[in-house]
Amino acid sequence: MIDLAKTKKKMGPVRKIILALCIIIFLCSSSLVIRYYLDVHSSEQEMESLANLIPEPKTDAEEEEDATAAPDYSALLEINSGFVGWVTVPNTSVNYPVVKTVDNSFYLNHNFNKEYDSRGAVFMDYRNNPVDLDANTIIYSHNYYDTTMFSELTQYENIDFYKKTPVFEFNTVERKYKWKIYAVFITNASADEDNGYVFNYIYPYMDGDNFDGFIAEVNKRRLYVTDVDINDDDKMLILSTCIRTLDLYNKYGKRTYRANTRIAILARAVRDGESEEVNVEKAYVNPNPKYPQLYYDKHGITNPYKDDEKWYPQEVLSNG
């Protein structure tokens, strides 16, 4: 016969150890959660303080004739001489200074103040001209799956969000710009995810002979078709960040593969004398957008674009 009294006595220390471990795990988990929210709050506070350094715009009575003149960013330039502009996307928390340096690595883990920060900063491709802007300007930032950096840009995967937010603003230190979104697409940064191919959408010189091939490739990939037109005289701007759409999971919901994929929002500058309005009701979903091969493998379907010719931009030697 089992002696319950002795069994309970033996189990006493075990229960205490289990209880102690549970408490430790709870405290560690709680501290991580608290730290996470403090980190988000700190990032938001930092951006708010930087935004407050920009003087209020002039009243209508004081407005200068040149409505495209940039705000006074001198205070930001004093903090970081690599400051090149400010990006704001309505209906999101994207309202950030944009910086640039000699590579695309430094600001992956350094903030506007050049301090180490895992969230990094919003930065322009090191090859781009931050003053006159190239035919194709690229701006990057992390997706932290919260409300910071470029996390909320993944909402553009949905046409309904696009219809609410078809235009955003990116100002350089020289002038204001509004940008109409032409296309949104998902692509890969690792060649092994698309039959050895990486679509080079981050090349700055997408004008001249490069333009037609680039736009033809974009048109295949865009998730929806907008009413915005584009030509090789336009300045293009791409906002780029990571997206988890093509990650792979097992039947238990555990991620088995972390895809190296990006969402790209391609816009073109509002032309001189053109209205900022966009007829979003004319936008419609692309029934068969081109994805990386990984997408078709994930869904167990045939890739209709598998034998497509691989497009590459022509190098422009004069631009280095």
Side-chain angles (χ1 to χ4, degrees):
M1 178 180 260
I2 298 174
D3 190 332
L4 294 178
K6 288 184 178 181
T7 301
K8 288 182 179 180
K9 188 174 181 180
K10 290 179 180 179
M11 287 296 292
V14 175
R15 287 178 177 174
K16 289 180 181 179
I17 292 171
I18 293 173
L19 179 60
L21 287 174
C22 289
I23 292 172
I24 291 171
I25 293 171
F26 173 77
L27 291 175
C28 289
S29 300
S30 299
S31 65
L32 288 174
V33 171
I34 293 170
R35 182 178 177 182
Y36 170 80
Y37 283 105
L38 287 175
D39 191 28
V40 171
H41 180 70
S42 175
S43 177
E44 292 172 344
Q45 288 291 102
E46 180 188 0
M47 290 306 107
E48 185 176 343
S49 65
L50 291 173
N52 288 336
L53 294 176
I54 304 171
E56 290 293 324
K58 297 180 179 181
T59 63
D60 292 342
E62 300 172 316
E63 190 64 47
E64 297 176 359
E65 290 184 9
D66 185 4
T68 65
D72 180 2
Y73 292 128
S74 56
L76 296 174
L77 284 164
E78 287 182 12
I79 298 173
N80 187 335
S81 60
F83 170 80
V84 295
W86 194 283
V87 61
T88 304
V89 180
N91 299 314
T92 74
S93 59
V94 175
N95 186 31
Y96 290 103
V98 181
V99 287
K100 177 179 176 288
T101 188
V102 296
D103 58 40
N104 285 342
S105 301
F106 181 78
Y107 284 114
L108 287 173
N109 52 21
H110 287 80
N111 61 26
F112 182 83
N113 296 311
K114 299 184 180 181
E115 301 164 337
Y116 181 82
D117 187 334
S118 61
R119 289 180 184 273
V122 178
F123 62 97
M124 181 182 288
D125 192 286
Y126 75 98
R127 296 165 294 180
N128 278 132
N129 181 332
V131 178
D132 298 326
L133 298 184
D134 295 300
N136 186 34
T137 298
I138 308 95
I139 297 177
Y140 311 93
S141 194
H142 285 305
N143 176 1
Y144 256 80
Y145 318 109
D146 51 27
T147 59
T148 65
M149 314 317 292
F150 274 2
S151 299
E152 293 188 328
L153 292 187
T154 58
Q155 294 178 90
Y156 275 112
E157 194 175 6
N158 189 311
I159 191 173
D160 291 330
F161 182 78
Y162 161 76
K163 288 182 176 182
K164 294 191 299 182
T165 319
V167 179
F168 64 88
E169 186 171 335
F170 168 65
N171 303 324
T172 68
V173 296
E174 297 288 332
R175 62 162 290 176
K176 295 178 182 176
Y177 287 95
K178 290 288 183 69
W179 302 84
K180 292 184 176 183
I181 294 172
Y182 174 76
V184 176
F185 57 91
I186 293 171
T187 190
N188 54 297
S190 296
D192 59 358
E193 294 178 350
D194 194 23
N195 302 310
Y197 178 62
V198 173
F199 174 40
N200 188 357
Y201 66 94
I202 63 174
Y203 191 65
Y205 315 114
M206 298 297 190
D207 52 1
D209 293 336
N210 281 322
F211 178 81
D212 289 341
F214 173 62
I215 293 300
E217 190 67 26
V218 167
N219 287 346
K220 293 178 186 177
R221 295 171 178 269
R222 57 185 172 177
L223 303 179
Y224 37 84
V225 180
T226 71
D227 191 44
V228 177
D229 66 328
I230 196 166
N231 60 57
D232 60 1
D233 291 325
D234 289 319
K235 290 187 183 296
M236 295 183 288
L237 177 68
I238 293 178
L239 305 181
S240 178
T241 192
C242 296
I243 192 168
R244 301 269 62 88
T245 297
L246 300 188
D247 286 2
L248 302 180
Y249 298 84
N250 62 22
K251 63 181 182 179
Y252 303 108
K254 182 179 180 180
R255 183 166 61 191
T256 57
Y257 179 75
R258 182 183 175 92
N260 193 9
T261 46
R262 306 287 185 271
I263 185 170
I265 295 95
L266 166 61
R268 59 99 169 149
V270 173
R271 301 162 187 151
D272 292 339
E274 180 188 25
S275 169
E276 297 175 9
E277 297 298 315
V278 175
N279 187 350
V280 296
E281 295 309 314
K282 287 191 174 182
Y284 60 91
V285 173
N286 180 354
N288 189 26
K290 182 178 180 178
Y291 287 100
Q293 180 63 45
L294 180 61
Y295 170 87
Y296 303 97
D297 293 342
K298 176 178 179 176
H299 294 283
I301 56 179
T302 301
N303 180 359
Y305 298 99
K306 186 173 183 179
D307 296 324
D308 260 14
E309 181 180 353
K310 294 178 171 63
W311 177 84
Y312 297 95
Q314 297 180 26
E315 295 290 330
V316 182
L317 299 180
S318 62
N319 285 296

